[in-house]
Amino acid sequence: MAKIQMKTPLVEMDGDEMTRIIWKQIKEIIIEPNVDLKTEYFDLGLKHRDETADQVTIDAANRTNELGVAVKCATITPNAQRMTEYNLHTMWKSPNGTIRAILDGTVFRAPILVKGIRPFVSCWEKPITIARHAYGDVYRDTEFLVDGPCRADLVLTYPDGRQESQTIFEYKDAGVVQGLYNTDKSISAFATSCFEYALDTKQDLWFATKDTISKKYDGRFKEIFQNIYDTQYKEKFEAAGITYFYTLIDDAVARVMRSSGGFVWALKNYDGDVMSDMLASACGSLAMMTSVLVSPKGVYEYEAAHGTVTRHYYRHLKGEQTSTNPMATLFAWSGALRKRAQLDGLKDLEDFADRIEKASIETIEEGTITGDLNNLLDNDNKKTVTTEEFLRAVAAKL
Ligand code: NAP
Ligand code: MG
């Protein structure tokens, strides 16, 4: 049978440990037998990042900006223990942080829902996608422990020497104080990525902050979202039959719990951090969580939400066959192939991406699963298999 053709290559970012093994299996078992695969390959495995002084990560991100779509394998973010394990020259920064800084993007995370694994919130029928603003606020704060009576001031100094100041608090005793910031540029990029993603996936967009309490800080977020919506997206949203809606964060949390899902929920940095873990655990497994970085220019980088599954890798090195769940990595590939197909107008390739997802979901629904889903799936005929057996079962369905 003739293989499905591609036009523009994907940027392929290989990674580390168990996910690197799964990466190769997905290509060999699922993709290459069906597609005449075109990629530009960048090896982001820690050894090669170290050999290139992390230049490979920067090159891969820049190339993604040029070609438009990337697929990325999970990678190790080095810590002290990895320094000795890999004999590293320096403790290289998180590749995801480097890539995010170059693409200036927002991360969207959504669970893969299958019949037989009920979310703990029983009314959630469609996935909820969380968009977290990954810049500033409490993640870049400045803090003091106050050790006695004093006055804390907030002072702005402009280049012409002009100053504005406000007293935060007059301490009569010890306490704490914290300074936070964000920028109009970053908030606007975040808003634009959210509007683009909602349009692209034809889902409503919700945005929530606490602007009744934080009138200027959170108020600015609300205002920027509303301005961009009114001037650039209102007509497009109406034409697509979707809505943008702002509400207070506490109201949003209450509504999310009563919703049937199927929307994008945009959140400030801290709210997004907390709510993504809530969503992931309410849906069962990190191995069933997809992740895509979308830049305001409309560049896409697909990956799994989980890490390199180190514990399974050490078992693999001892010669054991592991039952690591490849779903999120498989969906990173199908997501990237689908986006590439849409941009290049390749109907066959788009259908193939849909079929990968359908076949893998059906494989699980029929009871062929990896070990992590054993306690979650409600099915009398379930059978736990190795990663390779799982992928072969998906390939047979394809
Ligand atoms: P992890 O790789 O996500 O794994 C944590 C645990 O979750 C695993 O030990 C496993 O539990 C379970 N798990 C995760 N994915 C699974 C899958 N696909 N199938 C089955 N079980 C799965 O997180 P980590 O152990 O904290 O981090 C390992 C390395 O990954 C670190 O070096 C970290 O820097 C890196 N990391 C990379 C990314 C990224 O590139 N996006 C994200 C997070 C972490 P059991 O062992 O109990 O089976
Ligand atoms: Mg978190």
Side-chain angles (χ1 to χ4, degrees):
M1 216 174 60
K3 289 190 186 179
I4 297 164
Q5 293 300 306
M6 294 181 65
K7 227 182 258 170
T8 317
L10 288 175
V11 173
E12 176 184 353
M13 307 183 196
D14 206 346
D16 288 300
E17 299 194 312
M18 204 60 222
T19 38
R20 188 180 179 98
I21 311 285
I22 293 176
W23 193 259
K24 192 157 170 281
Q25 290 176 328
I26 288 176
K27 284 171 67 180
E28 285 173 6
I29 299 172
I30 306 281
I31 305 194
E32 284 165 349
N34 298 290
V35 179
D36 197 358
L37 183 65
K38 278 203 182 109
T39 72
E40 285 192 18
Y41 181 85
F42 294 84
D43 184 0
L44 269 57
L46 184 51
K47 184 167 171 290
H48 193 239
R49 271 183 277 149
D50 192 50
E51 285 161 3
T52 62
D54 210 22
Q55 187 60 37
V56 65
T57 310
I58 296 165
D59 291 346
N62 286 332
R63 196 63 181 135
T64 303
N65 258 332
E66 289 162 5
L67 291 180
V69 187
V71 56
K72 178 181 170 290
C73 180
T75 45
I76 292 170
T77 298
N79 55 16
Q81 181 250 321
R82 300 295 195 174
M83 293 289 292
T84 32
E85 184 183 353
Y86 284 82
N87 194 18
L88 301 178
H89 292 96
T90 319
M91 203 185 287
W92 306 108
K93 286 195 212 146
S94 148
N96 285 4
T98 303
I99 296 165
R100 200 151 55 214
I102 293 173
L103 299 185
D104 188 15
T106 299
V107 175
F108 296 82
R109 290 198 160 176
I112 303 165
L113 298 187
V114 301
K115 288 193 206 84
I117 302 180
R118 290 292 300 173
F120 291 111
V121 181
S122 55
C123 55
W124 289 356
E125 296 187 350
K126 284 175 268 171
I128 294 169
T129 304
I130 287 195
R132 169 182 171 191
H133 183 212
Y135 180 84
D137 299 353
V138 71
Y139 300 84
R140 287 283 179 275
D141 71 347
T142 308
E143 327 181 292
F144 279 116
L145 289 176
V146 177
D147 64 8
C150 72
R151 193 184 77 217
D153 292 328
L154 195 58
V155 185
L156 303 186
T157 309
Y158 290 94
D160 63 4
R162 184 168 53 97
Q163 286 197 326
E164 277 183 59
S165 77
Q166 284 184 44
T167 295
I168 300 173
F169 192 62
E170 309 249 7
Y171 290 86
K172 298 202 169 50
D173 216 328
V176 284
V177 65
Q178 178 181 51
L180 308 182
Y181 72 90
N182 224 300
T183 66
D184 282 5
K185 181 166 177 274
S186 175
I187 301 165
S188 303
F190 171 51
T192 306
S193 297
C194 291
F195 289 122
E196 284 293 322
Y197 185 87
L199 261 184
D200 190 41
T201 57
K202 296 219 170 18
Q203 299 184 87
D204 291 345
L205 176 65
W206 297 19
F207 180 47
T209 70
K210 193 72 177 177
D211 72 296
T212 45
I213 300 299
S214 167
K215 292 192 169 60
K216 293 199 173 126
Y217 197 111
D218 283 16
R220 188 69 185 144
F221 277 78
K222 176 183 176 182
E223 192 174 87
I224 288 176
F225 264 73
Q226 195 64 48
N227 283 342
I228 293 179
Y229 179 69
D230 290 342
T231 55
Q232 296 172 48
Y233 288 96
K234 195 165 187 295
E235 281 165 24
K236 291 182 198 164
F237 267 50
E238 282 165 5
I242 56 174
T243 56
Y244 165 63
F245 141 83
Y246 175 86
T247 188
L248 283 172
I249 180 77
D250 34 1
D251 179 49
V253 169
R255 283 173 187 249
V256 162
M257 287 301 169
R258 287 185 269 110
S259 77
S260 56
F263 53 88
V264 182
W265 188 15
L267 292 159
K268 286 176 61 199
N269 209 349
Y270 175 82
D271 300 336
D273 183 355
V274 176
M275 289 300 149
S276 5
D277 284 355
M278 187 272 294
L279 182 75
S281 58
C283 290
S285 168
L286 201 56
M288 297 289 277
M289 195 64 131
T290 64
S291 182
V292 55
L293 177 71
V294 182
S295 86
K297 284 193 343 195
V299 168
Y300 287 72
E301 185 237 85
Y302 293 83
E303 63 172 335
H306 60 76
T308 58
V309 212
T310 311
R311 282 204 292 265
H312 294 215
Y313 181 61
Y314 291 154
R315 295 212 296 270
H316 165 85
L317 289 180
K318 284 191 212 144
E320 277 176 51
Q321 283 272 5
T322 69
S323 183
T324 316
N325 190 336
M327 284 293 278
T329 307
L330 192 53
F331 272 59
W333 274 98
S334 59
L337 289 171
R338 179 185 298 106
K339 177 51 69 183
R340 196 62 272 167
Q342 288 166 347
L343 293 174
D344 290 346
L346 302 172
K347 190 80 187 84
D348 283 1
L349 189 63
E350 189 173 354
D351 285 347
F352 178 66
D354 293 345
R355 281 192 287 128
I356 293 180
E357 295 179 4
K358 191 160 176 279
S360 57
I361 286 174
E362 280 176 14
T363 302
I364 295 177
E365 287 176 348
E366 286 169 14
T368 304
I369 52 169
T370 46
D372 56 308
L373 300 183
N374 200 18
N375 289 329
L376 298 172
L377 184 76
D378 184 16
N379 181 321
D380 292 337
N381 301 313
K382 63 190 166 192
K383 185 171 99 201
T384 300
V385 298
T386 64
T387 307
E388 184 177 340
E389 286 164 344
F390 179 82
L391 289 171
R392 295 215 178 274
V394 175
K397 266 192 193 299
L398 275 173

